Amino acid sequence: MYARRRHAYFLLMGVCVGLFVLAWGVVRLWSVPAAVAMCLVAMVIPPVAAMVANRRGPDDRWWDDPSGDPQSDEWWDELDGKKGPR
């Protein structure tokens, strides 16, 4: 699952860089407003790419899943208020 998210992230960031390069290297020669619009679209892509890269997949372990270490799990359960102190 991690590889798929990583590939999606790099694809989105590649599109972002491509839009910037095309906007100011090529499109600005014909239309500055179109180049600015392309940059505005490219500006939105990095936060979306970060959300895609950091979303939890169905097979990913979540932060509050048991770690497998009984002592550590008891300690975290006590801190989270799930169980009282011994």
Side-chain angles (χ1 to χ4, degrees):
M1 291 299 159
Y2 175 71
R4 185 178 309 146
R5 290 192 319 252
R6 188 176 59 201
H7 289 152
Y9 174 80
F10 284 117
L11 176 73
L12 285 168
M13 292 307 291
V15 168
C16 176
V17 170
L19 281 172
F20 273 117
V21 170
L22 282 175
W24 296 114
V26 178
V27 176
R28 73 168 171 88
L29 300 173
W30 290 280
S31 174
V32 172
V36 170
M38 288 173 69
C39 283
L40 290 174
V41 170
M43 183 178 67
V44 175
I45 293 175
V48 172
M51 286 185 269
V52 166
N54 290 312
R55 91 175 159 226
R56 177 179 174 245
D59 296 336
D60 291 341
R61 191 173 171 277
W62 194 231
W63 66 273
D64 61 350
D65 284 346
S67 66
D69 177 19
Q71 184 178 6
S72 175
D73 291 340
E74 282 182 32
W75 184 71
W76 281 108
D77 287 344
E78 183 180 331
L79 283 177
D80 291 339
K82 294 179 184 176
K83 292 182 182 176
R86 293 188 241 167

